[in-house]
Amino acid sequence: MAGFNPAEMATFRGADEDGDLVVMNGRLLINRSLRRWMDFYLSAVGEKSLEDIVAYMESRMRSLPAPANAEALEILGSYLSYRRDIDDYDEITARKIQGSDLASLNARMEWITQVRRLHFSDDVVAAFFADEEALDRFTLKRMALVQSGASGEELAAADEALPTTLKMKREQSGMAAQLQALRQEAGDDPVLLQTLREEQFGADAAARLALLDQTRQLWHQKLDHYQSLIDAGADEARLTAYRAENFSSAESARLDAALQVRQSQLALK
């Protein structure tokens, strides 16, 4: 598909595909990874039209085996309708999160939880939104405590009551947004990117992030070479030897899925 090539887009510069389309026993696996996959591509709206992005996503979904392909297309349709309802609500009421009063935020959260259940079954709501809804309820409760003049001890107790998994998600979400902002600011300048990371996170963390970049780059290089062997008609013995020499057991486990993603992207250029 000429109108949408993720590899050439600024939105996805330096980023691996987030989330995944997973099929188990012919059925689509409904989990948080599926929602991340849809959000990943929909984040490019603005750089590309929604129509082009959706056409690309639908093409990827149609390549899945039946009945997972039909299930994926149905979920995508429901998810797009859900997002339109959310956008319409915010546009009509002009009550975005920033600057809204607590009553409006509570009303918006309650409305969103109802809309989700109109668009999705209970199991899909749980898979897509359970952690988010729990974190939203916690955040609003904490805001209410702050506005009521709660003591530092009361706020600390509220923070401590948040489940560990949600604490981690809250921290990861904030850091992911910061990392993406720094990457966009640095553009194609790796030196500037490293400087910005050091200023934001410190030298040790910046060094670990640079190592992660190198690991991802090496993974893609090995993947490129392995694909070139396949394209050249290498026999199974040579492919097996290359895998054993160049890929760890964890990398080998995700190798087939990575190649499928790559082939899907190439087919749609």
Side-chain angles (χ1 to χ4, degrees):
M1 183 174 297
F4 188 85
N5 181 4
E8 298 176 353
M9 295 175 59
T11 302
F12 304 129
R13 183 184 294 119
D16 292 330
E17 182 180 64
D18 190 20
D20 203 358
L21 296 171
V22 179
V23 177
M24 294 185 64
N25 300 320
R27 305 298 299 271
L28 180 70
L29 185 62
I30 309 296
N31 58 8
R32 188 66 178 81
S33 181
L34 172 60
R35 184 189 167 196
R36 292 205 319 272
W37 185 88
M38 293 188 291
D39 285 339
F40 177 77
Y41 285 107
L42 291 172
S43 70
V45 172
E47 184 175 355
K48 293 291 183 180
S49 71
L50 177 62
E51 291 75 15
D52 282 345
I53 295 169
V54 171
Y56 173 85
M57 296 168 71
E58 288 177 339
S59 296
R60 289 278 299 274
M61 288 174 164
R62 289 192 185 98
S63 70
L64 300 175
N69 50 7
E71 293 169 342
L73 291 169
E74 182 179 359
I75 286 286
L76 177 59
S78 297
Y79 194 59
L80 292 171
S81 295
Y82 159 74
R83 285 172 59 109
R84 281 194 295 270
D85 281 351
I86 300 300
D87 290 342
D88 288 345
Y89 176 90
D90 285 328
E91 182 178 354
I92 292 170
T93 63
R95 289 172 179 170
K96 296 289 187 180
I97 291 296
Q98 294 85 357
S100 294
D101 60 84
L102 185 57
S104 296
L105 292 175
N106 273 300
R108 184 177 188 274
M109 184 187 73
E110 292 301 324
W111 181 83
I112 288 175
T113 59
Q114 294 176 24
V115 169
R116 287 169 178 164
R117 285 152 181 83
L118 290 174
H119 286 283
F120 306 104
S121 61
D122 289 343
D123 58 332
V124 176
V125 170
F128 280 7
F129 306 111
D131 286 345
E132 182 177 324
E133 290 185 354
L135 188 56
D136 286 344
R137 287 192 294 270
F138 163 80
T139 301
L140 292 176
K141 180 180 178 180
R142 196 180 191 284
M143 289 176 63
L145 287 172
V146 171
Q147 291 189 10
S148 68
S151 66
E153 290 79 6
E154 290 173 312
L155 294 175
D159 289 343
E160 189 60 31
L162 186 67
T164 302
T165 55
L166 292 183
K167 290 178 184 177
M168 294 175 62
K169 287 181 182 294
R170 184 173 60 169
E171 294 171 358
Q172 291 168 355
S173 176
M175 185 173 182
Q178 289 178 301
L179 289 172
Q180 181 64 21
L182 294 181
R183 191 177 291 278
Q184 290 177 346
E185 182 177 350
D188 295 322
D189 188 339
V191 175
L192 176 58
L193 177 60
Q194 192 66 5
T195 299
L196 293 172
R197 285 173 170 175
E198 289 179 1
E199 293 174 352
Q200 185 70 35
F201 303 111
D204 290 343
R208 289 194 295 271
L209 290 168
L211 180 60
L212 180 60
D213 287 344
Q214 294 172 7
T215 301
R216 287 173 174 166
Q217 182 179 18
L218 179 59
W219 159 256
H220 287 295
Q221 289 173 348
K222 293 189 296 186
L223 198 62
D224 287 342
H225 187 70
Y226 185 71
Q227 183 65 61
S228 70
L229 292 176
I230 295 175
D231 294 341
D235 58 30
E236 186 57 35
R238 186 177 180 189
L239 294 176
T240 299
Y242 185 83
R243 288 196 302 267
E245 182 177 350
N246 293 278
F247 294 103
S248 67
S249 58
E251 288 175 332
S252 294
R254 57 188 283 234
L255 185 56
D256 288 342
L259 290 175
Q260 289 175 7
V261 168
R262 171 169 299 201
Q263 289 301 314
S264 298
Q265 292 173 339
L266 291 174
L268 294 169
K269 285 184 179 181

